[in-house]
Amino acid sequence: MNDLAVGTLFRAIRIRRGKRQEDVAEAAGVSRWWVSRVEHGHLGGLPLDRLRALADVLEIRLELVASWRGADGARIVNERHSRMHELVAARLAAMPGWEYATEVTFSEWGERGVIDIMAWHAASRTLLVIELKTEIPDPAGLVAQVDRYRRLAGEVGRARGWNPLVVATWVLVAESDLNRGQLARHQVVLRNAFPLDGRFLRRWLRDPAACGDARGGGGGQVGSPGAGAGAGGGGARAGAGGRRGVSGLSFLADATRGSTTGRLGPTKRVRGRRTSSGGPETLTSDQPTTHKRGNRAPTGGPSASVASRPAAGLG
């Protein structure tokens, strides 16, 4: 940022609008001395909130752009998200019966957005919406976002020739102590919306029809095998297209090196992680990790709070 150029612009806009320094200072709730310092390009030591207040009075938009070694900051941040795309897409490509699309844009009923991954299982007519998160800064916002995708996914899928009977939603979060802590702090909200975990997802991906449309938490399972005939008619309604798909949240770990972030795994280096030869077991992990010194995660910590719950919800 060129301080002198910023100051020159502030002064030019103030004069153009016919305002004195006293007028701008009073409207922004600061002293005239601060206005003079800005206009002379002396921004060092100026609190950012005061600079923003002066900019608001003059209707000037301030944009702070951060870069690292000449690279755009957004590219550095998005690299981790892109790595998650690669991992999940590779697993879906290896799963029989599944096809998928990434970065699916939609505009339905005035609502617009981008779905990270949509996957289609033709044999069971199941549409899977996957939301990828490197962090969970706003749990309530995440719930609302995924619910919106679920409502619109049917129309979005039909535009691609996928006519679903079931719409399932899954949130995959990058494995880290910070994210597990967020889940532990907001587990009532998050597990109510996403009751299932990675252990169920691994089974469900192999054959969605065989696992049924389990919906964990509260009242147990809806539309699961054996719950249709003679069990309140839930299975009969499912045939009419009213079935609800699975909904869950689990963690995605990657021990592969070579990217800027190194990996998507925990913030501390771990060992003893189970691997699989191409099977879906490697897609997610909801088990407590063993740290480098061999000490297990503390009882009651974020990892334990997830692993101790049954696969179908809060238990």
Side-chain angles (χ1 to χ4, degrees), residues 15 22-23 53 58 77 94 117 172 178 181 205 212 219-220 224 226-227 235 242 248 253 280 282 284 288 298 304:
I15 294 174
E22 292 85 349
D23 300 330
L58 298 173
V77 173
I117 297 177
L172 288 174
L178 175 63
L205 281 173
S224 57
T282 58
T284 58

Side-chain angles (χ1 to χ4, degrees), residues 2 68 80 82 94 105-106 126 131 158 164 201 205 213 255 263 274 287 291 294 307-308:
N2 188 318
W68 180 72
R80 199 173 189 217
S82 298
T105 61
F106 64 85
T126 298
E131 176 66 15
R158 278 186 281 273
L201 177 61
L205 281 173
D213 300 318
R263 61 183 175 181
R274 294 180 300 170
Q287 302 299 324
H291 292 281
S308 61

Side-chain angles (χ1 to χ4, degrees), residues 8-310:
T8 300
L9 177 63
F10 270 70
R11 183 174 184 275
I13 297 299
R14 176 181 63 79
I15 294 174
R16 184 182 183 88
R17 302 191 61 182
K19 292 180 178 292
R20 302 173 302 170
Q21 289 185 346
E22 292 85 349
D23 300 330
V24 175
E26 182 179 357
V30 301
S31 69
R32 177 181 173 278
W33 183 75
W34 287 112
V35 180
S36 178
R37 283 186 61 83
V38 171
E39 292 187 355
H40 284 84
H42 302 310
L43 303 185
L46 176 66
L48 185 58
D49 58 343
R50 295 185 181 180
L51 182 60
R52 285 173 172 164
L54 293 173
D56 289 342
V57 172
L58 298 173
E59 298 182 356
I60 295 175
R61 185 177 66 181
L62 290 177
E63 295 182 353
L64 299 179
V65 179
S67 62
W68 180 72
R69 295 182 180 178
D72 179 42
R75 183 182 66 81
I76 301 298
V77 173
N78 292 336
E79 184 176 356
R80 199 173 189 217
H81 192 264
S82 298
R83 178 61 179 163
M84 294 182 71
H85 266 281
E86 288 291 332
L87 290 171
V88 178
R91 293 304 174 190
L92 286 173
M95 297 296 298
W98 286 94
E99 55 182 303
Y100 68 92
T102 61
E103 296 295 332
V104 179
T105 61
F106 64 85
S107 177
E108 301 288 341
W109 305 101
E111 296 186 83
R112 296 178 175 85
V114 181
I115 298 174
D116 286 333
I117 297 177
M118 289 187 70
W120 170 244
H121 191 266
S124 61
R125 292 179 63 184
T126 298
L127 186 64
L128 172 61
V129 174
I130 300 177
E131 176 66 15
L132 305 175
K133 289 294 184 184
T134 56
E135 295 179 351
I136 318 177
D138 181 10
L142 174 62
V143 172
Q145 178 184 14
V146 175
D147 184 66
R148 182 165 66 102
Y149 292 166
R150 179 190 57 77
R151 288 189 291 103
L152 301 173
E155 292 297 326
V156 178
R158 278 186 281 273
R160 292 177 169 268
W162 301 340
N163 187 23
L165 284 177
V166 179
V167 175
T169 56
W170 210 273
V171 177
L172 288 174
V173 183
E175 173 71 74
S176 71
D177 293 342
L178 175 63
N179 287 335
R180 289 211 178 249
Q182 276 288 80
L183 178 57
R185 285 187 292 272
H186 303 281
Q187 61 178 331
V188 175
V189 170
L190 290 174
R191 281 307 184 192
N192 179 64
F194 314 114
L196 303 171
D197 63 15
R199 288 167 291 185
F200 182 87
L201 177 61
R202 291 191 287 271
R203 299 194 305 270
W204 182 82
L205 281 173
R206 296 188 187 99
D207 190 350
C211 286
D213 300 318
R215 174 80 179 175
Q221 298 180 350
V222 177
S224 57
R237 288 193 298 272
R243 296 190 301 176
R244 300 187 66 181
V246 304
S247 183
L249 180 150
S250 54
F251 293 90
L252 178 65
D254 171 30
T256 305
R257 300 182 180 276
S259 64
T260 301
T261 55
R263 61 183 175 181
L264 296 177
T267 53
K268 296 181 180 179
R269 190 173 299 177
V270 298
R271 66 181 180 183
R273 185 180 299 279
R274 294 180 300 170
T275 58
S276 175
S277 57
E281 289 81 1
T282 58
L283 179 65
T284 58
S285 174
D286 281 281
Q287 302 299 324
T289 55
T290 303
H291 292 281
K292 185 175 181 181
R293 295 183 179 179
N295 298 324
R296 298 192 63 80
T299 303
S303 297
S305 66
V306 177
S308 61
R309 284 190 295 275

